[in-house]
Amino acid sequence: MRDLNTVFSLFILVVSLFVNGINGENPYRFYTWKITYGDIYPLGVKQQGILINGQFPGPQIDCVTNDNLIVSVYNYLNEPFLLSWNGLQQRKNSWQDGVSGTNCPIPPRRNFTYLLQAKDQIGSFYYFPSLGFHKAAGGFGSIKISSRPGIPVPFPPPAGDYTVLAGDWFKRSHRQLTLISEAGHNLPFPDGLLINGHGWNGYTFTVDQGKTYRFRISNVGIATSINFRIQGHTMKLVEVEGSHTLQNTYSSMDLHLGQSCSVLFTADQVPKDYYFTVSSRFTSPVLTTTAILHYSNSFSRVSGPPPGGPTTEIGSSLNQARSIRWNLTASGPRPNPQGSYHYGMIKTSRTIILANSAPIINGKQRYAVNSVSYVQADTPLKLADHFKIGGVFNLGSMPDKPSWGNGYLATSVMAADFRAYIEIVFQNWEDSVQSWHIDGYSFFVVGMDGGQWTPTSRSGYNLRDTVARSTIQVYPKSWTAIYMALDNVGMWNIRSENWARQYLGQQFYLRVYTSSNSFRDEYPIPKNALLCGRASGRRTRPL
C-alpha cells in the first residue's frame, strides 16, 4: 500500500510539472518582492514613489535563456497593483503577462506569484507596473537574459555589464497625472529626465582604461523619445530587444518609448571623467540629464556643458533606424516562424493596417486605433474567454483597417489564427512620433517611410536581415510595417507606449486562437490565478 501511495504521489508531481509547463531541466530562480510606497527625491523634490524591496528602480532580474523565474509579489500599497514584463514573450503563457486584459490586479495586502520562463530568449528588457499611471511613480526594473553556457556570443566578454534605465519624469504624482488625463486634458511637459532613478550627475559608472564595457539601456519613460551618448567615445550597437545586431558604430543612439538595446564602448580616451548624457528627442524645449563616466585612474572631474545631441530632426533618426540590421551569423535564440529563419520568403496571409488618432469623445480627449478607443472590461478578457463568459468582449470589435470615421468607445479585441503569418502596418498621420509594443511576440521590422502606405510600398521592404524586436516607432506622417508569425496562443496586448495614449484608449488585444485545447499549444490556467469581475467564484483547476 505504501508503494502504491509513493507511485501515486510521484505521478501527481510529474503531472503537476507538466500541466504548469515548467521545464525541470532548467534552473529555477526565486524572487520575493514587497511593493511599498516610499519617499524618493529623483529631481530634488520629495515624492511618493513605488518601491520594490525598498529600491527605486527595482531589483534586476538576472537570468539565463530558458530559466524558470518564480516571482512572488506582495502588494503593500493601498490600491491594486500589477507587474508586466516588457519584451518577455511568455511562450504559451499569456496567463502571466500582467496586464489588465489577462490578469486580475493584486489587491492590497494580497500576494500573487508569477511563474515565468525566459523561453528561447536572450537580451535586454525591463518590467514595469501596468495599472493606471503607476509607471510614473517607479516600480520598474531591468531584465537581463544571458546566453546559455557554450552558446557563442558575437563579441568578447566585456569587462563590465551596466544597466541604464532612462526616461522622462514628472514631479506630479501618478494620481495627479491620472486625474489630468481623465479630465480630458493633455499631460504637462515632463519636469526632467532620470538615469537609474537619479537626476543631473546623480549616478556614476566606473571603468578601467583600455577595457570594453556593455551598457544595456531601456527607455522607461511615459512620454518622450530619448537620445543617449558618451562624451568623447563612440558606441557599437550589439543587441536590440533580444536580437544580436550588425555591430555598427554610432556617436549617439535614439531610443523610443519602451525600447531597449545594448551597446559596447571602450574606455580608450585620456583618463578623466566624462558625461554619459541623455536628452529628449523631438521636444521643445529639449530636456537633458547626465551621469558620470569615471575612469578609475582619473583625478579630473567633468567640466563644461555636456555634449550636444540631435533634437527635432526626423531624418537622422529614420536613417539610424534603417541602419539597424540583424546579425545573421550570430548564434543564440532567434524568431523561428514556421520552421524557417528566412522571414522574407514566407507569404503573409493577412494585412492589418492600424492608424492612431486623437478623437474627442463625449467632450473629452481620447486616443484610438482605427477609430476605436479601448475601454477596460469589468473582467480580464483572458478569463472571460477561458470561462466562456459572454458580453465581456466581441471579436468583431477591432477592425483590420482604418475607417477614418469618428472615434468611439469599445472593448476592442481582434481575432487571429494560430500559426498565421501576418503583415501589420502602423500608419501615423499625427505630428508626433508614436511608439508601439506587442506583448508575446518578436516581430520583423520590414520597412518604414513617410507618407501613406500602399501595397507598392512593399517594394522597399528589407526581406533579408531586418532586426526582430517587440517595440517599434512610427515617425510623424509616416508608416512602419512589420511581419509577425502568430506562433504564440493567447490574449496579447498591442498598445501605445505613450502612457497617456495607452491609458485613454490607444490599445487593443489580439486573440491568437486554436481549437486544439492542447498543452502543446497553450498552458492551462494557473492554479493560483486571481479571479475577479464576472469570473469571481469560479474555480481554476485542481492541480
Side-chain angles (χ1 to χ4, degrees), residues 212-232:
T212 298
Y213 295 82
R214 181 174 184 170
F215 278 73
R216 300 171 184 265
I217 303 103
S218 296
N219 183 344
V220 295
I222 67 169
T224 56
S225 300
I226 60 174
N227 177 272
F228 65 90
R229 50 206 178 271
I230 303 174
Q231 183 182 23

Side-chain angles (χ1 to χ4, degrees), residues 341-345 446 458-466 483:
Y341 295 130
H342 303 292
Y343 69 91
M345 298 175 65
V446 292
R458 296 184 180 120
S459 63
Y461 281 5
N462 176 0
L463 299 180
R464 182 177 181 273
D465 65 349
T466 192
Y483 282 177

Side-chain angles (χ1 to χ4, degrees), residues 155-167:
F155 48 86
D161 194 324
Y162 287 113
T163 292
V164 182
L165 299 175

